[in-house]
Amino acid sequence: MTAPALHTAAPVAAGFSVQVDGLTKIYGGGNTEVIAVREASFTVARGEVIALLGPSGSGKSTLLSAIGLINPPTRGRIAINGEPVMDGPRPLVDLRAFRRHHLGFVFQKANLIPFLTARQNVQVALEVNDVAPRAARARADELLDYLGLGDRRHNLPFMLSGGQQQRVAVARALANHPSLVLADEPTAALDGHLSRQVMELLRQVAHEQRAGVIVVTHDHRALDVFDRTLEMEDGALREHAGPAPEPAPVVKPLS
Amino acid sequence: MNLAAQDIRHNGGRFALTAAGIGLLLMIVLGMGGIYAGMVYEATLLIDRLDADLWVVQRSTRGPFAEVSRIPASLEPRLSAVPGVASARRFVYHTVQRERAGEPWRFSVQGLDWPVDRGQALPLLTGRPLGQAHFEMIADRTLGVALGERVRLGKDTFTVVGLTKGMTSSSGDPMAFFTLRDAQAIQFDQPGEALRLDREARRYRASAAELGQQQPGLLERAASPSPALPVLGPPTVSAVLLTLTPGADAAAVARTIAGWPDVTVYTHAEQRDLLLRGSVDRARRQIGLFRAILVLVSAIIMSLIIYTLTLDKAHDIAMLKLIGARNRVIVGLILQQALILGAVGYALAWVIGQWAFSLFPRLVLITGPDLALLAVIVLLISVVASGLGIWKALRIEPNTLLS
């Protein structure tokens, strides 16, 4: 899929979950300048699930945090759900409110709030979005049932297995019907079976809820569940057509 | 969903221990105020109970509580004759320290002007007012004597006929009430040998004088007991208390008496003020400063606790921010916890104080205004203490979850 240009004056395509155009992120300056992401441009359609691959330090998480509106880019533009949200480091919307309405996050660790039950962890994402408590409970129960955790809704996170915690995190990410779900190595802490289960779950909800999903992963065992794969190396993004690429070496050969 | 309450419920044990620590700290703050209020109450209790319009004391003294005052008992009839004076009472007040069961036994003695004053106005818990001119006493229960107990003081034995509650002197000592004569006997009690030596000294001085050598009968009189000697005045009293006739001008009566060269006169308010501006005022400033330091320490400790609780939740706060929680949700979480901690600490301070203050050797008087003041202080401390935590929370970046 070709990334359409996203210039300020250019129209933003409403069918895309996210459009990224010329995104560059530079840390530091002068002698200590590090270009973490350089000129990345791509789109993710609604209901599309893409994998973002690359070795450690290649800029995957930086790119994800920029799209997630928690780490502003140095240059480039981002539009989510057809709405321009970042023009370089300048936000075009209230970022926190935009995250609340349009984005869902899943991490390597479930990051559940330890003093809230499974249901409350989902419910809190709804209540901060001004959903009434009763409706929030009902939606949380619906999601937990959907993810097979209906009987665990009153459990605190420490009472749940790693896979169950991750499913609660997925439920929390989907609570507000997001346009885009960002997942940073969501299966890194899970075994092969659970890993595939979570990936398939993300694919399923992407298709059913018409949300775009970007998954940063090192896990090559489940690459077949993705619609596309993007690979990053030294901050540069390239798209792979056809089958998923071979795993990148953990240690790059010395030049 | 109340996040603060959920967090507290989840960390109940730690919260309870923290609240208990803050509660004990606040109890000391409360106690400091109570000690001062108790001092003021005790200092003014006797003056208020005696309810005299004017106090006549030794010239140029601030007696009888602030310093020693001695005036002749004969002032009583003189003062009764002053226009506007309805009645005059002699007043004897002094502190004694004896030993009882191997322990120091300290109390203040007040003489009641028998038979006019038998102690009817005293807050008797049990027993009765004085029923005879000698050898009976009424004591405050904190003196540790029982009703009917016989107490030896000087050469006399007194029967406890009544027990009062809350009657302590300005120095916090329990009070004991006797007839005026008995109080003077306790005050001026001398051992037999001292009396014999005193008489012999008088006899020797008389024999050395020409008059004594010419009139041997004088030597015999000189060796007689003091009360039998007309040249020796009766024992002095501490003050004479005046009650004025209804409608009398207290200032005019005071001006009349103030013109006498041997006495000084104070109104009820002046006598009260003398006590409060004296030793009580210094104690008030001392306690006030100590209390201010304690409030400051409490605020710092609470700030650190709230800050630490916030640091513990940094990851959760980052998560809340990531999912779009507004700042008021984050601020509410921290502020509510600080307020709940303050409120529980305040309640514990009050409950523990109720029990602990009763064990203190001096009165700790917790008044409504003191409780209200502490509530305001706790509210302010909680808000200020949460400031540091809120400052930290608002600086937590949601992207820390990605690292």
Side-chain angles (χ1 to χ4, degrees):
Chain A
M1 193 174 291
T2 313
L6 232 186
H7 301 291
T8 311
V12 174
F16 289 111
S17 184
V18 64
Q19 291 169 272
V20 176
D21 180 30
L23 192 148
T24 299
K25 178 70 186 181
I26 302 171
Y27 290 112
N31 293 337
T32 58
E33 182 178 286
V34 175
I35 302 174
V37 180
R38 65 177 81 219
E39 296 294 326
S41 298
F42 67 98
T43 60
V44 179
R46 286 182 161 280
E48 189 180 25
V49 183
I50 68 166
L52 186 57
L53 305 173
S56 295
S58 61
K60 304 185 298 296
S61 292
T62 302
L63 178 61
L64 201 72
S65 64
I67 298 169
L69 309 181
I70 53 180
N71 190 9
T74 310
R75 289 191 296 274
R77 295 173 192 83
I78 303 169
I80 295 172
N81 199 29
E83 186 174 353
V85 290
M86 294 295 293
D87 184 3
R90 189 166 63 91
L92 303 175
V93 293
D94 175 351
L95 297 182
R96 208 182 288 188
F98 198 88
R99 281 203 303 270
R100 196 158 60 224
H101 294 300
H102 295 284
L103 300 182
F105 295 88
V106 185
F107 300 97
Q108 181 177 337
K109 287 193 292 181
N111 286 324
L112 300 180
I113 296 175
F115 53 84
L116 300 182
T117 62
R119 173 205 264 171
Q120 288 170 331
N121 263 287
V122 182
Q123 197 181 330
V124 74
L126 290 150
E127 286 192 15
V128 299
N129 201 16
D130 300 325
V131 177
R134 183 175 293 191
R137 270 197 302 275
R139 168 78 175 146
D141 287 347
E142 179 194 2
L143 279 164
L144 291 172
D145 287 339
Y146 174 71
L147 294 170
L149 289 168
D151 57 337
R152 295 292 200 163
R153 67 183 57 144
H154 299 300
N155 286 173
L156 288 164
F158 78 90
M159 300 169 179
L160 301 172
S161 70
Q164 287 170 331
Q165 287 186 28
Q166 202 58 296
R167 277 189 279 163
V168 176
V170 171
R172 180 177 60 193
L174 301 175
N176 288 307
H177 303 284
S179 317
L180 178 65
V181 176
L182 302 168
D184 190 14
E185 302 192 41
T187 60
L190 305 179
D191 64 28
H193 174 66
L194 280 175
S195 166
R196 184 159 194 92
Q197 230 181 12
V198 170
M199 293 294 196
E200 282 179 349
L201 183 64
L202 285 171
R203 179 184 173 82
Q204 187 184 345
V205 296
H207 290 176
E208 285 180 10
Q209 302 206 9
R210 301 291 296 153
V213 177
I214 302 175
V215 181
V216 170
T217 183
H218 283 110
D219 190 351
H220 287 256
R221 293 167 297 185
L223 286 181
D224 58 300
V225 301
F226 296 101
D227 297 318
R228 277 190 299 145
T229 57
L230 298 172
E231 187 168 17
M232 286 201 81
E233 189 158 3
D234 293 333
L237 185 71
R238 79 171 178 270
E239 186 163 350
H240 278 277
E246 284 302 307
V250 175
V251 180
K252 286 194 281 187
L254 290 171
S255 57
Chain B
M1 182 188 347
N2 187 306
L3 292 174
Q6 293 297 336
D7 185 25
I8 288 169
R9 193 177 301 164
H10 184 247
N11 297 297
R14 188 171 70 161
F15 180 82
L17 281 175
T18 309
I22 288 172
L24 288 171
L25 203 57
L26 293 177
M27 188 194 83
I28 300 172
V29 177
L30 187 65
M32 282 290 152
I35 288 171
Y36 170 65
M39 285 175 75
V40 170
Y41 177 79
E42 286 176 342
T44 55
L45 175 74
L46 197 54
I47 296 171
D48 291 342
R49 285 259 177 218
L50 289 167
D51 197 25
D53 296 315
L54 293 174
W55 289 67
V56 181
V57 301
Q58 185 181 336
R59 183 77 184 175
S60 300
T61 70
R62 284 164 176 75
F65 303 111
E67 62 176 305
V68 172
S69 162
R70 286 196 177 126
I71 53 174
S74 60
L75 262 173
E76 183 205 342
R78 276 171 64 195
L79 288 162
S80 297
V82 173
V85 173
S87 67
R89 284 173 283 164
R90 290 166 296 170
F91 177 76
V92 167
Y93 174 85
H94 56 94
T95 301
V96 296
Q97 182 167 328
R98 303 289 155 85
E99 196 164 287
R100 183 177 157 95
E103 294 289 325
W105 196 43
R106 189 180 160 86
F107 55 95
S108 294
V109 170
Q110 191 199 319
L112 302 174
D113 200 357
W114 172 274
V116 179
D117 186 358
R118 300 160 183 253
Q120 307 94 307
L122 295 173
L124 284 174
L125 263 184
T126 180
R128 57 168 174 79
L130 300 180
Q132 59 189 48
H134 287 292
F135 313 128
E136 285 190 350
M137 65 183 281
I138 298 168
D140 192 74
R141 63 174 180 174
T142 54
L143 191 59
V145 292
L147 192 67
E149 186 175 334
R150 291 168 65 77
V151 177
R152 179 94 182 159
L153 289 167
K155 295 181 189 65
D156 301 318
T157 301
F158 299 88
T159 304
V160 180
V161 298
L163 290 175
T164 62
K165 181 187 176 187
M167 291 302 293
T168 51
S169 70
S170 59
S171 53
D173 298 315
M175 294 211 62
F177 302 87
F178 302 82
T179 62
L180 199 96
R181 283 286 178 82
D182 285 347
Q184 287 174 316
I186 294 166
Q187 184 178 14
F188 299 111
D189 172 53
Q190 283 184 304
E193 183 60 15
L195 289 174
R196 277 191 292 277
L197 288 171
D198 193 31
R199 286 179 199 171
E200 192 51 41
R202 283 202 299 268
R203 190 185 144 80
Y204 177 77
R205 285 197 300 274
S207 65
E210 190 182 350
L211 190 62
Q213 289 165 0
Q214 288 171 352
Q215 296 189 23
L218 190 65
L219 300 181
E220 198 177 316
R221 294 295 301 274
S224 305
S226 302
L229 300 179
V231 292
L232 296 178
T236 55
V237 295
S238 305
V240 175
L241 313 187
L242 304 182
T243 304
L244 303 182
T245 51
D249 182 356
V253 176
R255 269 197 309 276
T256 303
I257 299 168
W260 299 1
D262 55 343
V263 294
T264 294
V265 60
Y266 295 110
T267 62
H268 176 94
E270 285 170 337
Q271 185 61 253
R272 210 169 185 276
D273 202 39
L274 276 176
L275 266 177
L276 295 181
R277 281 195 293 114
S279 57
V280 174
D281 185 57
R282 294 181 68 182
R284 179 185 65 82
R285 278 183 283 166
Q286 178 124 333
I287 290 171
L289 278 173
F290 196 59
R291 199 182 190 193
I293 292 168
L294 269 175
V295 168
L296 193 65
V297 169
S298 307
I300 291 170
I301 290 176
M302 259 191 90
S303 294
L304 287 175
I305 289 170
I306 298 296
Y307 184 71
T308 309
L309 288 175
T310 306
L311 285 186
D312 286 350
K313 284 192 287 291
H315 200 75
D316 307 324
I317 290 169
M319 190 66 222
L320 286 169
K321 285 187 170 185
L322 186 78
I323 61 175
R326 295 174 180 86
N327 279 341
R328 65 179 157 83
V329 174
I330 315 287
V331 171
L333 166 65
I334 295 162
L335 187 61
Q336 282 171 41
Q337 284 199 333
L339 290 173
I340 292 171
L341 206 55
V344 174
Y346 176 81
L348 284 174
W350 188 76
V351 170
I352 300 170
Q354 290 284 312
W355 166 77
F357 294 151
S358 65
L359 305 176
F360 280 39
R362 283 196 65 169
L363 177 67
V364 181
L365 187 66
I366 306 301
T367 61
D370 251 358
L371 282 170
L373 178 66
L374 184 70
V376 173
I377 288 172
V378 170
L379 182 68
L380 288 176
I381 286 179
S382 303
V383 172
V384 170
S386 63
L388 190 61
I390 289 169
W391 174 83
K392 177 67 186 170
L394 294 181
R395 271 153 190 77
I396 292 171
E397 292 291 338
N399 59 8
T400 54
L401 291 166
L402 290 171
S403 55

